[in-house]
């Protein structure tokens, strides 16, 4: 398989994952804004931060304002992480790796592009937002379904999965990074309604609110939320789960190619950290420091995978 | 429902009766509801858009991905007609390869005075770097598309020989696929010869042309200029259907005297490269130094027998429009037989008498640029305005050697489905030919291009033409 194609698959699925995550983030922010009594736009600021888009947004719009933030995150062509930009980039990469994916995967991506492009042709009015966001999530599920149902389980599949889970791990880590102050016991007023809403937002943005309630029997605390998002291997958007998937797929590549690379060492270290750690220790040494370490490790991993598998010359 | 009397309609004879190849189809069609069929047309368009069969039109950045319209009425050729055509095509393709071998070796045909030497010597499509190089199996044109037009019951003409990188075969395959999906019942009623084997045949044909350096199994790859190329879909489609890598110039480099592609496990040699990149961009070290699409040094590897390039560099000299007019001589020179397929009479404007004739009759002629393709830079006299003719006259007078002229042919028509039912439109046909050292294989049918505008004679997709599925009936 060509190195350029491996890179194209990796990025295609990173962008797809990103578009879904951004849609979830907008959903969470919108939900949050609806439930706020004072109608301020504070929450949108942290949404922008989570999307790593704050400074670029401010350059463009000056101040944080709900309609503009939503538009920036969904439709803005100059925002490379907007849903539309991400889906267009995913499709561009899909075209470039057309020979590596099945017709059904290609059609699912191409369909997604065409449907989303039409849906996002104009700014989205608040009353249409839930439907549009739901549609974007549904399209993501469609592509994922086509991938699972029609692709050979070989190196092509591995690079697609590695891209997906690297993006997902990165996304969950960034949500924690932006929100860590809400989760710190010293600052949060346990049980206050404001914090409940904030936690809800965090969980909602990783599609985890329902699972969390089942697992915790309805009892929320900052520590259990952080534990859930970092260490719970059953939760498909937790760091542990995502990192585990990356490790598994890198392991398949090692077995298929018979070569162990530096990226295998990096993922081993990250995985060990999650396997041996626990939430008490993380809070002791500092949640923020821990998250930064994770983000840095994931970034190094991405760059090393690109080198090891010759994405570029 | 009948064609304009002066044109030969392939479905309906002058008295309105249905010609024999179309009889079974007509019986089916008469029972169908036009409205339902129109719906099918729209369905077909959605199908094509989903699969991503689009092409990029040069000079139209806005509409960067356009669909070639598809008409659901098939173009039908009887098995008997087809058998005759294939003989002529095979003869022509053999002659083209013999001509190319000769031009790059002893140049007997020039010495014999059958083709003027200056036509070759001053031609950009002739590559001196190919002199003395014998490609594996002496095959120059691994893939050829011979453009045919019909003017009467038994009157077929070759309009053009596409010996460089003929495109359109993916449309032939997808058109059939679409028809099979939309009208399965038609194919159980009417026995149509298969086209779907083309990708496998192409793979076998290319595999049979391995270079001396190949050891064991043959690695084939398709070289594309990239996703922005107008035919990218086809490049990806063919690579996918053949099960081979689709490579770009940036994936390739010379490693140990071989062309190798950068894989996830390091560089791996390629034996046969089906390139969809023009000669000039193939090798920045040997040709256009600005090119980012090719592979520096590939020509040196090629000459040393390290790789097979399909089609061979320098084949363009054989489909040059000025050479075209000599094809009847070329066929006779190399095969010892008269050409089975007729050439369209052609005036070479480099010749003074011809130029005068052409200038006097511009409103009746089709004038083409010698090196042009895709319907660009051409004048269709009868359809052109006074102003367009005047502008073209000036160009022609400035550079007569750059043009040839042909009479406006009364291209045959085949009905398309319009709101009002069937209506005749002009068509041409591009059959696809695969050449390997011991075999010439012609896929039954090919790509039928159809002018969708009433009365228009220009079928090129870049100029608003569409396509049809082409059926060759089992006898």
């Amino acid at each position: 398989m060509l190195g350029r194609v491996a890179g194209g698959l990796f990025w295609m699925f990173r962008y797809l994952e990103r578009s879904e995550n951004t849609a979830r983030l907008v959903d969470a922010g919108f939900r949050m804004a609806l439930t706020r009594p004072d109608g301020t736009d504070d929450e949108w600021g942290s949404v922008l931060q989570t999307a790593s888009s704050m400074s670029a947004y401010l350059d463009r719009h000056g101040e944080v304002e709900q309609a503009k933030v939503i538009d920036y995150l969904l439709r803005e062509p100059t925002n490379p992480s907007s849903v539309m930009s991400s889906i267009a980039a995913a499709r561009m990469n899909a075209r470039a790796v057309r020979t590596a994916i099945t017709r059904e995967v290609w059609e699912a991506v191409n369909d997604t592009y065409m449907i989303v492009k039409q849906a996002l042709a104009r700014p989205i009015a608040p009353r249409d937002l839930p439907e549009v966001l739901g549609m974007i999530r549904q399209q993501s599920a469609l592509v994922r379904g086509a991938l699972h149902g029609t692709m050979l389980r070989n190196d092509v599949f591995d690079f697609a999965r590695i891209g997906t889970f690297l993006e997902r791990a990165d996304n969950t880590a960034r949500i924690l990074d932006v929100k860590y102050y809400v989760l710190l016991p010293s600052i949060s007023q346990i049980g206050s309604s404001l914090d409940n809403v904030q936690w809800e937002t965090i969980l909602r943005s990783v599609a985890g609110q329902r699972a969390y309630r089942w697992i915790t029997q309805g009892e929320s605390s900052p520590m259990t939320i952080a534990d859930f998002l970092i260490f719970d291997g059953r939760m498909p958007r937790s760091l542990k789960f995502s990192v585990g998937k990356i490790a598994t797929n890198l392991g398949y590549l090692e077995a298929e190619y018979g070569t162990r690379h530096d990226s295998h060492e990096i993922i081993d270290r990250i995985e060990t950290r999650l396997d041996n750690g626990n939430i008490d220790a993380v809070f002791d040494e500092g949640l923020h420091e821990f998250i930064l370490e994770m983000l840095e490790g994931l970034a190094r991993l991405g760059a090393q995978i690109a080198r090891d598998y010759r994405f570029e010359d | 429902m009948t064609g304009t009397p002066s044109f030969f309609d392939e479905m309906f004879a002058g008295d309105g009766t249905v010609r024999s190849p179309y009889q079974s189809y007509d019986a089916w069609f008469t029972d169908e509801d036009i409205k339902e069929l129109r719906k099918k047309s729209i369905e077909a368009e959605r199908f094509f858009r989903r699969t991503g069969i689009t092409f990029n039109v040069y000079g139209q950045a806005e509409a960067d991905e356009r669909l070639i319209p598809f008409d659901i009425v098939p173009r039908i050729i009887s098995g008997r007609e087809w058998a005759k055509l294939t003989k002529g095509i095979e003869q022509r393709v053999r002659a083209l390869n013999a001509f190319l071998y000769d031009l790059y070796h002893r140049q007997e045909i020039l010495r014999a005075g059958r083709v003027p030497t200056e036509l070759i010597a001053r031609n950009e499509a002739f590559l001196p770097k190919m002199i003395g190089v014998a490609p594996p199996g002496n095959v120059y044109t691994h893939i050829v598309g011979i453009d045919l037009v019909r003017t009467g019951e038994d009157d077929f003409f070759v309009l053009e020989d596409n010996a460089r990188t003929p495109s359109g075969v993916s449309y032939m395959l997808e058109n059939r696929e679409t028809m099979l999906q939309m009208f399965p019942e038609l194919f159980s009623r009417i026995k149509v010869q298969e086209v779907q084997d083309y990708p496998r045949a192409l793979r076998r044909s290319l595999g049979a042309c391995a270079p001396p350096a190949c050891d064991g199994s043959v690695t084939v790859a398709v070289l594309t200029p990239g996703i922005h190329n107008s035919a990218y879909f086809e490049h990806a489609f063919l690579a996918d259907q053949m099960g081979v890598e689709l490579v770009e110039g940036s994936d390739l480099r010379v490693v140990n005297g071989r062309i190798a592609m950068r894989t996830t496990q390091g560089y791996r040699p390629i034996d046969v490269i089906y390139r969809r990149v023009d000669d000039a961009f193939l090798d920045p070290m040997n040709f256009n130094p600005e090119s980012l699409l090719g592979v520096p040094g590939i020509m040196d590897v090629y000459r040393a027998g390290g790789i097979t390039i399909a089609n061979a560099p320098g084949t363009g000299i054989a489909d040059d429009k000025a050479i075209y007019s000599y094809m009847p001589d070329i066929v006779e020179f190399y095969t010892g037989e008269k050409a089975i397929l007729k050439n369209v009479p052609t005036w070479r404007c480099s010749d003074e008498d011809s130029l005068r004739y052409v200038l006097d009759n511009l409103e009746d002629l089709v004038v083409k640029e010698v090196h042009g393709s895709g319907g660009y830079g051409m004048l269709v006299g009868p359809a052109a305005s006074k102003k367009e003719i005047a502008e073209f006259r000036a160009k022609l007078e400035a550079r007569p050697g750059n043009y040839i002229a042909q009479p406006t042919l009364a291209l045959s028509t085949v009905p398309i489905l319009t709101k009002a039912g069937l209506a005749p439109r002009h068509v041409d046909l591009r059959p696809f030919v695969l050449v390997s050292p011991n075999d010439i294989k012609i896929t039954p049918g090919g790509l039928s291009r159809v002018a969708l505008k009433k009365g228009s004679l220009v079928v090129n997709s870049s100029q608003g033409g569409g396509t049809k599925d082409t059926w060759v009936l089992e006898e």
Side-chain angles (χ1 to χ4, degrees):
Chain A
M1 153 181 227
L2 294 175
R4 175 178 54 82
V5 171
L9 283 160
F10 175 88
W11 280 107
M12 171 185 167
F13 281 89
R14 269 202 94 149
Y15 280 122
L16 279 172
E17 180 68 24
R18 188 171 298 175
S19 68
E20 184 184 342
N21 292 339
T22 305
R24 285 186 192 284
L25 203 55
V26 172
D27 190 32
F30 186 60
R31 231 354 218 262
M32 179 84 187
L34 285 181
T35 47
R36 294 213 86 152
D38 50 3
T40 60
D41 290 320
D42 289 357
E43 197 53 31
W44 288 110
S46 66
V47 164
L48 283 169
Q49 267 170 4
T50 311
S52 304
S53 301
M54 190 53 140
S55 64
Y57 170 89
L58 287 178
D59 284 349
R60 192 166 179 83
H61 292 298
E63 59 181 342
V64 176
E65 195 182 306
Q66 170 167 301
K68 284 180 181 157
V69 176
I70 292 176
D71 202 61
Y72 188 79
L73 291 175
L74 294 183
R75 305 173 59 243
E76 178 55 48
T78 62
N79 172 11
S81 298
S82 72
V83 168
M84 197 62 245
S85 302
S86 300
I87 287 176
R91 176 175 181 264
M92 195 70 128
N93 277 289
R95 266 194 104 186
V97 303
R98 181 64 189 80
T99 55
I101 54 179
T102 58
R103 185 171 186 141
E104 281 169 57
V105 172
W106 160 254
E107 286 182 7
V109 176
N110 196 32
D111 261 357
T112 299
Y113 170 78
M114 288 189 292
I115 292 171
V116 173
K117 191 174 176 189
Q118 201 180 10
L120 297 183
R122 273 170 295 281
I124 309 298
R127 73 186 138 91
D128 299 327
L129 194 61
E131 195 189 329
V132 170
L133 294 173
M135 185 270 291
I136 294 166
R137 284 198 304 269
Q138 222 166 51
Q139 287 300 130
S140 288
L142 189 75
V143 179
R144 206 157 34 231
L147 180 81
H148 281 277
T150 65
M151 295 282 294
L152 278 178
R153 297 308 196 261
N154 58 5
D155 47 356
V156 172
F157 193 79
D158 293 327
F159 285 110
R161 299 293 277 168
I162 291 167
T164 301
F165 285 106
L166 199 56
E167 180 68 24
R168 190 177 293 179
D170 185 63
N171 181 63
T172 300
R174 272 186 290 112
I175 289 171
L176 285 165
D177 185 37
V178 173
K179 289 291 184 182
Y180 77 95
Y181 63 91
V182 197
L183 296 169
L184 290 177
S186 57
I187 297 172
S188 67
Q189 300 296 309
I190 297 173
S192 82
S193 72
L194 176 64
D195 283 320
N196 278 339
V197 171
Q198 296 237 24
W199 297 336
E200 187 82 1
T201 313
I202 297 174
L203 290 168
R204 185 173 283 276
S205 62
V206 293
Q209 71 276 30
R210 184 183 165 279
Y212 178 77
R213 253 177 256 129
W214 274 88
I215 287 171
T216 59
Q217 305 292 306
E219 286 307 312
S220 293
S221 80
M223 207 178 251
T224 51
I225 291 180
D227 189 27
F228 182 61
L229 293 185
I230 297 171
F231 289 113
D232 198 321
R234 298 167 297 181
M235 154 63 182
R237 290 178 180 273
S238 72
L239 282 181
K240 172 131 174 168
F241 182 92
S242 307
V243 164
K245 286 285 174 192
I246 301 170
T248 307
N249 285 287
L250 275 173
Y252 291 150
L253 286 176
E254 182 183 344
E256 187 175 342
Y257 294 164
T259 310
R260 193 171 166 82
H261 290 292
D262 289 350
S263 45
H264 293 104
E265 307 299 334
I266 299 177
I267 190 69
D268 274 2
R269 279 201 294 277
I270 300 175
E271 206 182 15
T272 309
R273 190 88 165 84
L274 288 166
D275 283 348
N276 299 340
N278 62 64
I279 198 66
D280 293 322
V282 165
F283 272 68
D284 280 348
E285 70 184 83
L287 178 60
H288 185 55
E289 288 68 22
F290 177 81
I291 296 298
L292 281 183
E293 182 196 324
M294 282 289 144
L295 279 169
E296 196 189 272
L298 292 168
R300 269 201 308 140
L301 178 63
Q304 191 58 43
I305 289 172
R307 270 194 296 276
D308 289 345
Y309 294 102
R310 301 172 168 84
F311 289 179
E312 282 156 38
D313 202 7
Chain B
M1 288 238 287
T2 54
T4 319
S6 55
F7 296 106
F8 178 82
D9 188 83
E10 298 187 12
M11 183 162 177
F12 298 104
D15 59 3
T17 56
V18 177
R19 295 187 199 273
S20 75
Y22 282 87
Q23 270 165 10
S24 304
Y25 180 78
D26 182 67
W28 172 87
F29 184 85
T30 340
D31 289 340
E32 292 293 308
D33 177 12
I34 298 279
K35 269 203 204 117
E36 286 303 310
L37 287 177
R38 294 279 298 172
K39 263 192 229 158
K40 290 268 192 188
S41 292
I42 294 162
E43 206 179 287
E45 186 175 320
R46 203 177 306 133
F47 180 76
F48 279 112
R49 209 172 273 289
R50 277 193 76 190
T51 53
I53 309 186
T54 54
F55 73 108
N56 308 339
V57 183
Y58 293 114
Q60 288 194 7
E62 288 279 301
D64 64 339
E65 286 171 27
R66 236 172 57 184
L67 271 188
I68 297 187
F70 172 70
D71 176 67
I72 62 170
V73 181
R75 194 248 187 110
I76 309 177
I77 298 168
S78 75
R80 189 187 50 80
E81 284 169 335
W82 179 250
K84 261 200 292 187
L85 284 179
T86 54
K87 283 208 187 83
I89 294 170
E90 203 176 312
Q91 179 198 46
R92 198 153 171 122
V93 169
R94 276 186 206 290
L96 282 171
N97 276 283
F99 174 58
L100 283 161
Y101 183 85
D102 185 29
L103 279 188
Y104 288 113
H105 292 83
R106 295 179 49 80
Q107 304 196 325
E108 304 279 4
I109 198 165
L110 305 184
R111 294 180 204 203
R114 299 286 286 270
V115 171
T117 305
E118 66 270 18
L119 206 57
I120 307 296
R122 272 191 268 118
N123 200 313
E124 279 177 21
F126 181 77
L127 294 187
K129 293 224 183 242
M130 284 297 289
I131 292 171
V133 180
N138 290 340
V139 179
Y140 284 84
T141 63
H142 306 77
I143 300 108
V144 195
I146 304 281
D147 285 356
L148 298 172
V149 294
R150 186 178 197 179
T151 58
E153 180 81 60
D154 284 313
D155 299 313
F156 285 90
F157 291 88
V158 175
L159 197 60
E160 240 169 73
D161 303 286
N162 296 283
R164 300 171 209 218
T165 45
S167 61
V169 77
S170 56
Y171 294 96
M172 171 186 87
L173 294 167
E174 288 293 41
N175 287 353
R176 176 62 53 82
E177 199 57 45
T178 306
M179 289 296 277
L180 280 166
Q181 286 209 11
M182 290 199 306
F183 306 108
E185 75 278 14
L186 260 176
F187 290 88
S188 53
R189 264 203 208 196
I190 305 170
K191 290 296 155 214
V192 179
Q193 295 190 31
E194 282 284 344
V195 298
Q196 302 303 83
D197 191 46
Y198 180 86
R200 271 184 300 277
L202 175 60
R203 174 76 179 75
R204 275 197 300 272
S205 193
L206 292 170
C209 300
C214 171
D215 48 358
S217 76
V218 188
T219 304
V220 176
V222 177
L223 175 64
T224 175
I227 60 170
H228 299 295
N229 184 268
S230 65
Y232 176 78
F233 168 78
E234 177 156 302
H235 308 160
F237 178 87
L238 287 174
D240 190 36
Q241 295 280 309
M242 286 195 284
V244 306
E245 295 291 356
L246 177 67
V247 298
E248 296 179 12
S250 64
D251 297 321
L252 304 178
R253 65 156 64 153
V254 178
V255 179
N256 299 326
R258 303 293 309 275
I259 298 301
M261 54 184 170
R262 193 181 73 252
T263 77
T264 50
Q265 301 177 77
Y267 280 89
R268 296 286 146 92
I270 298 172
D271 300 303
V272 181
I273 197 156
Y274 174 21
R275 50 87 176 224
R276 301 289 298 250
V277 169
D278 291 344
D279 282 355
F281 298 102
L282 201 51
D283 185 346
M285 251 156 75
N286 281 285
F287 307 123
N288 183 350
E290 306 281 297
S291 173
L292 298 171
L293 306 176
V295 192
I298 192 173
M299 276 307 286
D300 306 312
V301 175
Y302 179 65
R303 279 187 302 216
I307 187 140
T308 299
I309 301 175
N311 289 348
T315 53
I317 189 69
D319 69 12
D320 189 87
K321 288 193 180 67
I323 295 290
Y324 164 86
S325 59
Y326 292 93
M327 274 309 285
D329 292 314
I330 291 171
V331 171
E332 209 179 321
F333 188 80
Y334 295 107
T335 66
E337 302 159 8
K338 287 264 173 226
I340 300 169
L341 289 172
K342 286 174 277 192
N343 245 36
V344 181
T346 303
W347 291 274
R348 305 170 196 125
C349 301
S350 52
D351 176 80
E352 226 171 281
D353 290 342
S354 298
L355 177 63
R356 199 166 314 123
Y357 176 85
V358 171
L359 287 172
D360 287 348
N361 293 280
L362 271 182
E363 53 284 348
D364 299 323
L365 298 172
V366 175
V367 190
K368 296 175 180 172
E369 252 183 84
V370 174
H371 307 295
S373 68
Y376 295 97
M378 103 185 214
L379 175 82
V380 181
S385 68
K386 282 218 161 62
K387 186 165 162 268
E388 284 166 332
I389 290 181
E391 282 169 7
F392 214 87
R393 182 185 301 279
K395 284 203 264 181
L396 192 49
E397 281 167 339
R399 292 188 64 193
N402 206 26
Y403 297 93
I404 55 152
Q406 294 170 337
T408 310
L409 291 178
L411 297 194
S412 61
T413 55
V414 173
I416 64 165
L417 187 69
T418 67
K419 275 185 202 128
L422 295 181
R425 292 292 185 274
H426 296 290
V427 291
D428 78 351
L429 174 64
R430 174 177 293 178
F432 293 94
V433 190
L434 297 174
V435 187
S436 60
N438 303 308
D439 195 24
I440 292 181
K441 195 172 157 46
I442 307 169
T443 303
L447 180 67
S448 283
R449 299 187 296 178
V450 55
L452 297 175
K453 246 191 291 168
K454 192 175 175 186
S456 169
L457 290 164
V458 184
V459 298
N460 299 72
S461 49
S462 50
Q463 314 286 313
T467 68
K468 281 171 167 294
D469 190 17
T470 310
W471 294 4
V472 174
L473 302 181
E474 299 271 8
E475 278 302 277

